[in-house]
Amino acid sequence: MTATDTDTAPDLDGLAAAARARGEVDGGPAPDPVNAPMVRHWLEAMGDANPLYLREGLAPPAMLQVWTMPGQDPRPTASAVDELLGALDAHGLTGVVATDCVQAYDRYPRFGESLRSATRFGGLSGPKTTALGTGRFLTWHTAWYSGAERVGEMTFRVLKFAPASPEGASPGSASPDGPAPSAPRPPRNADTAFFWDGAEAGELRIRRCADCGALRHPPGPLCPHCRSGAADHVVASGEGTVFSHVVHHHPPVPGRTAPFPVAVVELPEGVRVAGAVVGAAPGEVHAGMAVRVDFERIGDGPALPCWRPAGQRRLPVAELELTRTAVTAGALATRDFTPVHHDPDRARAQGAQDVFLNILSTQGLVQRHATDWAGPGARVRRIALRLGAPAHAGDTLVLTGTAHPPEDGTTRVEVRGTTALGPHATATVELEGVR
């Protein structure tokens, strides 16, 4: 874009103020009522076997946006941010990558209902320099109605930026420079091998003197009590309480996002063991907090002991092979016809390795992971999703999750999706009716 082009581009801040003053803009009705064929297509694409939807005539909540997606032959619709999106393009910010999506559900849509959507402007921030280039973040809010009744709402945030390639980018196309580094491997020797073998087996092993029976950690060659070199080990219960903790800010640690807490945990066996605290924000960790040992693997590294607040439950790990068929099926089932989700050449032209998941497919897979664990009796009330590295065809998406103890009837499930490039998505799913 030349200086003259920039000078004649629309005033972004003025358009943002006008969009804010406009309030909610009716986007019109969905092209089709909520129906079984589209739901069945979506369930097959996501690999979601939950019988609830087709049995009771309900649409999966993560499909909410699908009903009013423009599709391959977009119908003219009104939106509170149309002018802003066009103006950002005029400023040379033609690339777009979705960064955040939060959906809340008043109830599940029913077969036969005709939904309509309405949007309102949320905010415009920046300019900000990012790994993709200089851009601005645009946020808007959408609500869906059946008649006068609201069935759900969404907050959606995108980065509009000046792309390095002429075609620009597409939602989810942000890519790091290479695979995420593995965590440093801990030293392994004759004194520590038993400990790391135990971690691989899901056991927290503590060194025991074979003569006097005293326990010691960290393990060493001699018993500090009787100076004996004879040793074996015991398997700890895995329970403990936080004795002290710090919050790590720097330097960066592969596989973790700073800041994160690290604690010294006192075990009932009488020793203290240090490790990262997972499943809790830094401000939630405190001395005396009850925790339980867990084990995690970062990249291709060894299993590492860590600590999780007592009462949390881990979801089974799901490993999803992302074939081109799977990626394309997800895009089509969510009515997203952006070429980079089904055309490898177009994807590579803008710097991607291959076609990659769109944000609506990622949201559907996150919902599936949570409800596979919670069961068909649970109801999803909210999904908050943040995208990271793209999930390309040919890669494996590994989904892990942690369920927190229920509060006021709501169970919060933290879901994390990773690929060879690192974290693809972090999400929070709130459910009711979990048993």
Side-chain angles (χ1 to χ4, degrees):
M1 173 173 282
T2 65
T4 303
D5 292 334
T6 304
D7 291 341
T8 59
D11 172 37
L12 294 175
D13 293 323
L15 288 175
R20 183 176 291 106
R22 197 173 297 126
E24 191 170 76
V25 176
D26 190 347
D32 298 293
V34 178
N35 62 85
M38 283 184 64
V39 169
R40 185 177 291 107
H41 183 195
W42 186 94
L43 292 172
E44 291 176 353
M46 301 302 152
D48 193 333
N50 191 335
L52 168 73
Y53 310 114
L54 294 175
R55 184 184 66 208
E56 299 191 14
L58 301 173
M63 277 191 78
L64 186 60
Q65 187 179 358
V66 174
W67 303 107
T68 53
M69 286 286 284
Q72 189 174 12
D73 185 19
R75 301 169 296 112
T77 57
S79 167
V81 294
D82 285 343
E83 286 186 82
L84 265 171
L85 289 169
L88 289 164
D89 286 342
H91 276 262
L93 307 180
T94 54
V96 57
V97 57
T99 62
D100 303 84
C101 179
V102 179
Q103 290 188 352
Y105 314 106
D106 300 312
R107 64 169 176 81
Y108 290 8
R110 305 183 187 99
F111 288 2
E113 287 187 310
S114 294
L115 303 183
R116 66 179 181 88
S117 64
T119 61
R120 58 184 174 86
F121 172 76
L124 181 68
S125 62
K128 182 177 181 180
T129 301
T130 73
L132 292 170
T134 300
R136 304 194 72 165
F137 289 93
L138 176 62
T139 304
W140 65 88
H141 309 280
T142 305
W144 284 266
Y145 299 89
S146 175
E149 180 189 9
R150 192 186 73 176
V151 297
E153 62 178 354
M154 175 183 72
T155 296
F156 202 80
R157 186 170 183 252
V158 300
L159 169 66
K160 289 284 290 177
F161 63 97
S165 64
E167 288 195 31
S170 176
S173 64
S175 178
D177 293 333
S182 297
R185 292 183 177 274
R188 183 186 177 96
N189 53 42
D191 293 321
T192 63
F194 82 98
F195 182 83
W196 298 115
D197 288 344
E200 290 292 336
E203 296 179 351
L204 181 61
R205 296 177 178 177
I206 307 299
R207 176 62 83 203
R208 180 175 61 183
C209 176
D211 286 330
C212 74
L215 301 181
R216 62 184 187 268
H217 187 85
L222 297 177
C223 173
H225 298 279
C226 71
R227 310 305 293 173
S228 171
D232 55 15
H233 69 266
V234 298
V235 177
S237 68
E239 299 176 350
T241 56
V242 173
F243 178 77
S244 65
H245 78 284
V246 297
V247 178
H248 182 96
H249 292 270
H250 193 77
V253 176
R256 299 196 186 279
T257 302
F260 61 88
V262 179
V264 174
V265 174
E266 192 159 41
L267 307 186
E269 289 80 7
V271 298
R272 295 170 182 165
V273 180
V277 180
V278 298
E284 296 173 337
V285 180
H286 57 86
M289 178 180 181
V291 292
R292 185 168 183 80
V293 73
D294 202 348
F295 300 90
E296 64 177 2
R297 194 182 304 276
I298 298 174
D300 59 354
L304 301 174
C306 57
W307 298 99
R308 187 177 298 280
Q312 290 187 359
R313 290 179 284 175
R314 293 188 68 185
L315 277 63
V317 176
E319 296 187 4
L320 309 179
E321 299 299 325
L322 300 179
T323 64
R324 284 184 182 170
T325 298
V327 172
T328 302
L332 297 181
T334 56
R335 294 180 56 78
D336 185 346
F337 293 90
T338 308
V340 292
H341 300 311
H342 59 80
D343 186 333
D345 292 335
R346 293 288 292 274
R348 293 191 185 108
Q350 65 171 46
Q353 297 175 5
D354 207 315
V355 294
F356 49 87
L357 286 178
N358 66 337
I359 190 171
L360 295 183
S361 293
T362 299
Q363 189 173 42
L365 294 174
V366 165
Q367 176 191 276
R368 167 195 159 183
H369 191 57
T371 55
D372 278 353
W373 167 79
R379 294 292 189 273
V380 179
R381 293 306 179 205
R382 184 175 182 271
I383 301 176
L385 172 68
R386 171 167 289 187
L387 285 183
H392 292 107
D395 207 338
T396 300
L397 178 63
V398 180
L399 293 173
T400 57
T402 301
H404 295 253
E407 296 182 9
D408 299 325
T410 299
T411 298
R412 178 165 54 94
V413 177
E414 307 288 347
V415 177
R416 180 182 176 93
T418 59
T419 69
L421 290 178
H424 166 62
T426 54
T428 300
V429 183
E430 296 180 5
L431 305 108
E432 295 178 354
V434 176
R435 295 182 179 180

